[in-house]
Amino acid sequence: DEMREFKDEMREFKDEMREFKDEMRAFKDEMREFKEENRRQTRAMNRQWGDLANKLGTLVEDLVYPSLPRIVAETLGREVIRCVPRLKQRLPDGRVKEFDAVAVTADLVGLNSTKATLISADVDRFVADIAAFREFLPEYGTLPVVGILATLAVDESVLNYAEKVGFLVLAVGDEVMEVKNRPGFEPKRW
C-alpha cells in the first residue's frame, strides 16, 4: 500500500511538474512576444524621435531663410541677388554636402548654418563647412564668405566664441531672426 501510495504521489508530482513546465513554456513564449513587441515599439519611437528632430531642424531653417536677405542688407550693406535654402551639391567622386542656406551678393557670399541648439562644437564644425563650401561650389571661389550661424536662442558663451571666430550669429528676436552680435561687430571674410 505504501508503495502504491508513493507511486501515486510520484505520478501526481510528475503531472504537477509537467503542468509547471507547460506554464513555464507559455511564460517564456509570452516573454519572447513581449520583448519583440518592446523592440518594435522602441524602433518605432526612435524613428519618430528622429523625424521630430529633423522637423525641428527644418522648422528652424524655415524661420531663418526668409530673414537672410534683410540681415545681409542691414549688417553687410549688400543686396542679396540669390538666396537658396538647403543647397545640396554632389562632387564627381560621389561626396555630397548640403548647406542650410546660401545668400549671394555681387561681391560676397553669406553662408548659413542653422542649429536648433547652437553649441561651441557647431562653431568649430562651421569653419570646416566653409572650406567644404569652396570645394563643393567653386563658382563662388573668388567671393569672400561670411559665416552666419543661426539658432532659436543662443547662450552668451557660444555667442562670444562664435564672434571671436568671426561669425554673425542670429537668433529669434522681434523680427523673427535678428543679429545677436554686439554693435559694430564686423564679421570675418573667409
Side-chain angles (χ1 to χ4, degrees):
D1 284 341
E2 283 181 21
M3 271 313 260
R4 189 175 299 119
E5 200 174 291
F6 178 72
K7 284 182 179 180
D8 290 343
E9 285 178 7
M10 285 305 289
R11 193 175 303 118
E12 283 180 31
F13 179 72
K14 281 183 179 179
D15 291 343
E16 287 175 7
M17 284 305 291
R18 191 175 304 116
E19 286 178 23
F20 178 73
K21 284 182 180 178
D22 290 344
E23 288 175 6
M24 284 305 292
R25 191 174 301 115
F27 177 73
K28 283 181 180 179
D29 291 343
E30 287 176 18
M31 284 305 293
R32 192 175 5 257
E33 289 172 16
F34 174 76
K35 285 180 180 180
E36 185 54 40
E37 178 60 26
N38 196 17
R39 281 187 199 108
R40 278 193 298 275
Q41 288 177 352
T42 300
R43 281 192 298 267
M45 186 60 74
N46 287 343
R47 257 193 315 277
Q48 290 173 343
W49 277 113
D51 291 346
L52 184 60
N54 288 337
K55 286 178 185 173
L56 178 59
T58 57
L59 173 67
V60 178
E61 289 173 8
D62 291 343
L63 289 173
V64 173
Y65 170 72
S67 299
L68 282 178
R70 174 184 53 80
I71 288 170
V72 169
E74 290 173 1
T75 58
L76 304 174
R78 308 291 199 291
E79 179 185 343
V80 172
I81 54 178
R82 181 174 182 236
C83 195
V84 183
R86 296 181 191 98
L87 179 60
K88 195 177 214 176
Q89 290 293 110
R90 178 182 302 273
L91 294 179
D93 64 9
R95 289 182 292 153
V96 177
K97 181 87 174 140
E98 183 174 317
F99 300 96
D100 294 341
V102 178
V104 181
T105 74
D107 61 350
L108 66 79
V109 174
L111 181 62
N112 168 250
S113 177
T114 300
K115 304 293 179 201
T117 303
L118 185 66
I119 60 174
S120 295
D122 296 322
V123 175
D124 296 333
R125 280 190 287 274
F126 195 39
V127 172
D129 286 347
I130 290 175
F133 176 79
R134 298 256 185 235
E135 182 179 6
F136 279 82
L137 292 152
E139 61 268 28
Y140 298 116
T142 61
L143 296 178
V145 174
V146 173
I148 305 169
L149 289 166
T151 188
L152 292 174
V154 63
D155 183 84
E156 189 173 346
S157 66
V158 176
L159 171 62
N160 291 337
Y161 180 56
E163 216 174 67
K164 182 179 171 187
V165 174
F167 295 134
L168 278 175
V169 179
L170 313 180
V172 174
D174 293 337
E175 296 184 52
V176 182
M177 296 304 290
E178 61 185 31
V179 175
K180 295 296 183 178
N181 299 85
R182 69 180 181 275
F185 170 74
E186 188 62 35
K188 179 176 179 176
R189 268 58 169 177
W190 296 80

